Amino acid sequence: MTAPQLRRANYGLDAPKVVRNLVLGAIAGLLLWGSASLGLWSGQLLIPLGADGLRIGVADSGRFFAIVLPLTALWMVWESKVGKLRNREKMLQRLTWTGKEQVLDLGCGRGLLMIGAARRLTTGTATGIDIWQTEDLSGNRPEATLDNARCEGVEARVDIKTADMRALPFADASFDVVVSRAAIHNLYDAGDRAKAIGEVARVLRPGGHALIEDIRHGGEYEASFMRNGCTHVERIGSRIEALLTTIITFGSLRPATLLVRKAG
């Protein structure tokens, strides 16, 4: 009798609407470029400006988008399915684990960091909080998170709650480690992001660590931690890779990973 085959955890597709829009933009660009190449139109847009008007080569722009946008979409899919799992291990290896830690994952989604931390625990517990927005992550719901915990064999060491990161339902100094990946930037107001960082500092025990990775606002988070008693803040990871990402995305993404220690 053969043993049942274990299912692989599925951590979803990040920013599914962005991926969809990239694909739609690529299709639109291909249509513009292809129709002009077939001679169906001139490939230029005439704007009535001045005596002769202003002609803009739209077809050339279409060719650019038809090539660049699908490559960007493919990169985002690869990052969601492969890259972020590899990055999870690199992030969590930055901490020294005893197995007894109480861990909080801020904006846990389908449990990527929470479950990665739980795999390093013996008597400790990893808790994840989220408000389960599907526009940020496909299939983002508590049931998917618990299913992933079962797939990775850590269901007994995890707990999830529906909660707002700006007002965490935990007592002061409740956690040894707080982790978060690509979550805090979803608070669009700088004051709200400062509240979230303040809550991280509040629930951290003295001597505890926070590990925060996000796609923008790294400098803002660093300043907020310093104001809240976390005086040791270190930027980790490849600066060159972060700079290249910023350049390639025309400044839309400015990734940073912070390793923070609370004084005490």
Side-chain angles (χ1 to χ4, degrees), residues 7-12 84 88 105-116 118 126-134 137-162:
R7 292 180 297 114
R8 293 184 61 184
N10 180 359
Y11 291 106
K84 69 182 181 184
R88 171 179 80 175
D105 185 356
L106 205 68
C108 67
R110 296 177 67 154
L112 180 72
L113 290 184
M114 178 188 72
I115 291 169
T127 301
I129 67 108
D130 208 303
I131 56 174
W132 318 109
Q133 294 184 145
T134 55
L137 178 67
S138 65
N140 190 19
R141 61 187 189 278
E143 296 80 7
T145 308
L146 292 175
D147 187 52
N148 282 337
R150 282 190 290 271
C151 288
E152 297 219 31
V154 296
E155 185 181 12
R157 298 194 295 277
V158 303
D159 185 27
I160 59 172
K161 298 181 183 294
T162 299

Side-chain angles (χ1 to χ4, degrees), residues 187-261:
L187 298 172
Y188 300 121
D189 182 76
D192 287 337
R193 294 192 294 272
K195 286 180 183 178
I197 297 297
E199 283 291 272
V200 171
R202 179 183 68 80
V203 301
L204 263 181
R205 290 172 180 158
H209 289 85
L211 193 56
I212 309 295
E213 181 189 74
D214 214 337
I215 61 174
R216 56 180 70 95
H217 308 306
E220 180 185 303
Y221 301 161
E222 186 173 354
S224 292
F225 274 119
M226 297 287 284
R227 288 195 302 268
N228 284 278
C230 299
T231 54
H232 182 85
V233 183
E234 177 187 1
R235 289 208 181 201
I236 61 175
S238 171
R239 295 290 185 94
I240 295 176
E241 184 178 334
L243 178 60
L244 286 175
T245 301
T246 301
I247 293 171
I248 291 170
T249 62
F250 302 101
S252 176
L253 303 182
R254 300 180 299 279
T257 304
L258 303 181
L259 177 59
V260 181
R261 182 180 182 273

